[in-house]
Amino acid sequence: MGFTADHIPYQDGRTAVVTGANSGIGLETTRELTRNGATVVMACRDDRRGVAAARSIRSEIPVADVRVETCDLASLESIRAFADRVADEPVDVLINNAGTMAIPRRETEDGFETQFGVNHLGHFALTGSLLENLRRAGDTGRKARVVTVSSGLHARGEIDFSDVQGEREYDRWTAYAQSKLANVLFAYELERRLRTEGADVLSTAVHPGYADTNLQFRGIGGRGAWIRTAVRRLSNAVFAQSASKGALPTLYAATSPDVEGGGYYGPGGLLNMRGPPQRQASSDRSYDRKAARRLWDLSRECTGVEYDLPEPKQPST
C-alpha cells in the first residue's frame, strides 16, 4: 500500500513551520501535521487567506494547534521580521513549500526575478535565518528536518549563472525549471554542510508529482488565457492526483523515521506523477557539487544571509 497519512507518527511536542500553508499542498501538509499533534506555524504571504485556512482546519480538527504568521518570501525584510518573531522557538520541521510557477517576468521588492527570488532565494534566506531554531530542536534528541519542495520539472532546469535573473532573456517555464533545480541543489548542499558540522538536522528535497492545486493557474493571463485555463482544468481532471495525495511526499520526508538526509522523495507511481512516496534519483545536474557551491555563494551575496556552517567535506577518492 505504501505510505499514507495514516502512517504519520504522532507529532506531539514538535513544531513545524510551513511556508505557503494557506492553500494546496501547504494546507494539506498543515492539516495532517496538526491532526497528528504537531504545532504548526503557517507562514503565509496573505494574512487573510492564512486566517481563513486556519479556521477551516480548526473546524475539522478542534484541537489543532496552529497559528498564522506573515512571511512574504518575495521580501527579505518580511523574512527577517518573521524570523525575529519566532527567534525563541525551536523549529523541529521547516517545510519550504511556497512557490510560484511559470509567470511572466516580474521582480520581487529586492529586485530578484520572482520565480528565482521566491522559490529559491526566499527559502534560502528563511532557512538560514531559522538555523538556530532548528539546531535547538535537534538538541532534544530527535533530528530536526528541512524539507524543500521542488518539482519533477527540475530535470529540465539548468542554472544560468550568466543571466540567473533572466534580465537578458526570459522564458517563464525555463525560469521555473531553473528555480526548482535550485531547490534540489540547495537541499543537497545544505545536507552536506549539516553533516560536516555534525548537526542534528537533516535536509531533504521532495516533489509532489502532478497534483491538482491552484499553483497551476497563477500567472495565466493575456491572449488565449481562457484556452490555457480550460486545458489545465481538463488535464488536472484526467491525470492529476489530489492535493492531499500530492502532500504525501512532503509529509513522509517531514515525519517518517525511514527518511535519510540528502534524499529526494516523490510519488512512485505512473511516471512519478502519482502514487505513494518513495526515494528517487533526481537529475544529473542536481548532483553537481561545483554548481551547488556556486549557487550557495550567489545566494549568500543576493540575500546577505550567512549560514554558520562549515564548508562541506570533499568526497573521498
Side-chain angles (χ1 to χ4, degrees):
M1 291 292 294
F3 180 89
T4 70
D6 292 335
H7 295 106
I8 297 172
Y10 198 56
Q11 300 294 298
D12 186 41
R14 290 175 73 78
T15 297
V17 171
V18 182
T19 67
N22 59 277
S23 66
I25 288 168
L27 177 59
E28 297 302 325
T29 298
T30 300
R31 190 190 317 277
E32 294 305 327
L33 288 176
T34 58
R35 192 191 308 278
N36 286 277
T39 296
V40 179
V41 179
M42 301 174 69
C44 301
R45 178 178 62 86
D46 187 321
D47 280 352
R48 289 186 303 108
R49 292 180 181 178
V51 169
R55 188 181 301 119
S56 74
I57 289 173
R58 292 193 190 99
S59 69
E60 179 183 347
I61 310 165
V63 297
D65 187 357
V66 60
R67 80 173 194 265
V68 178
E69 292 280 358
T70 303
C71 184
D72 183 354
L73 292 165
S75 165
L76 293 175
E77 181 179 354
S78 178
I79 293 167
R80 284 191 293 267
F82 171 82
D84 286 344
R85 291 196 301 275
V86 301
D88 296 330
E89 302 178 40
V91 174
D92 298 273
V93 184
L94 170 60
I95 298 178
N96 292 324
N97 165 78
T100 188
M101 184 174 76
I103 60 172
R105 191 182 188 285
R106 300 170 187 152
E107 292 187 354
T108 69
E109 71 174 43
D110 302 291
F112 308 133
E113 185 275 310
T114 297
Q115 294 194 83
F116 188 71
V118 170
N119 297 354
H120 169 62
L121 291 176
H123 283 124
F124 178 92
L126 178 64
T127 304
S129 300
L130 296 180
L131 186 57
E132 283 305 314
N133 304 67
L134 291 157
R135 284 190 177 118
R136 195 176 304 132
D139 287 342
T140 63
R142 292 190 293 182
K143 281 194 173 184
R145 304 186 183 197
V146 179
V147 180
T148 300
V149 181
S150 181
S151 163
L153 286 175
H154 86 276
R156 300 185 187 180
E158 183 174 2
I159 309 298
D160 184 358
F161 288 103
S162 68
D163 188 28
V164 74
Q165 305 290 353
E167 294 171 300
R168 293 199 305 270
E169 184 176 352
Y170 182 81
D171 173 82
R172 65 180 70 189
W173 285 106
T174 299
Y176 177 71
Q178 174 182 249
S179 74
K180 293 287 103 179
L181 173 59
N183 288 153
V184 186
L185 286 165
F186 164 65
Y188 292 169
E189 180 71 4
L190 177 60
E191 171 65 19
R192 287 189 286 266
R193 291 173 184 250
L194 290 166
R195 294 288 67 74
T196 301
E197 182 186 67
D200 287 323
V201 184
L202 62 83
S203 169
T204 65
V206 302
H207 76 95
Y210 188 1
D212 185 4
T213 71
N214 61 6
L215 178 65
Q216 298 158 3
F217 299 95
R218 294 175 187 165
I220 295 180
R223 188 175 181 180
W226 71 271
I227 296 176
R228 292 192 295 275
T229 298
V231 169
R232 290 189 192 182
R233 290 193 186 283
L234 177 62
S235 181
N236 280 7
V238 174
F239 298 110
Q241 60 183 354
S242 65
S244 61
K245 291 184 178 179
L248 289 177
T250 299
L251 289 163
Y252 180 78
T255 66
S256 173
D258 298 328
V259 167
E260 297 177 325
Y264 177 71
Y265 298 91
L270 177 66
L271 300 175
N272 294 333
M273 292 194 301
R274 57 194 304 149
Q278 65 178 24
R279 183 162 184 170
Q280 299 172 350
S282 52
S283 71
D284 289 345
R285 288 193 182 103
S286 70
Y287 297 106
D288 185 338
R289 289 189 174 211
K290 186 176 180 180
R293 183 169 180 175
R294 189 175 177 186
L295 176 66
W296 186 278
D297 290 340
L298 173 66
S299 303
R300 287 173 48 241
E301 293 171 8
C302 287
T303 64
V305 174
E306 297 288 344
Y307 282 65
D308 180 22
L309 287 172
E311 296 285 336
K313 293 178 181 178
Q314 296 302 312
S316 56
T317 56

